[in-house]
Amino acid sequence: MLIINVREGENIDRALKRYKRKSINTRVIRELRNRREFTKPSVKRRKEKLKAEYRLEKYGER
């Protein structure tokens, strides 16, 4: 669980922004989404391979 201490005189919006940034950096949300359902290792590899091909095609050899 992430804990954010609200500093004295700090705006609540600023504290929320710090919380969001901290949650993104620790990849909590991404881990929760990945654990919703089990994906077979072969499917993971296939997705990663397709992603790499897309990246190479789009940003690769210029």
Side-chain angles (χ1 to χ4, degrees), residues 24 27-39 47:
I24 289 170
R27 299 179 179 156
V28 172
I29 307 283
R30 187 182 303 170
E31 187 67 28
L32 284 173
R33 287 181 183 151
N34 288 340
R35 289 182 183 211
R36 277 188 191 164
E37 58 186 33
F38 178 76
T39 54
K47 275 188 178 181

Side-chain angles (χ1 to χ4, degrees), residues 16-32:
L16 277 173
K17 189 173 184 177
R18 284 194 301 129
Y19 174 77
K20 287 179 186 177
R21 192 178 324 125
K22 196 171 190 179
S23 69
I24 289 170
N25 289 341
T26 56
R27 299 179 179 156
V28 172
I29 307 283
R30 187 182 303 170
E31 187 67 28
L32 284 173

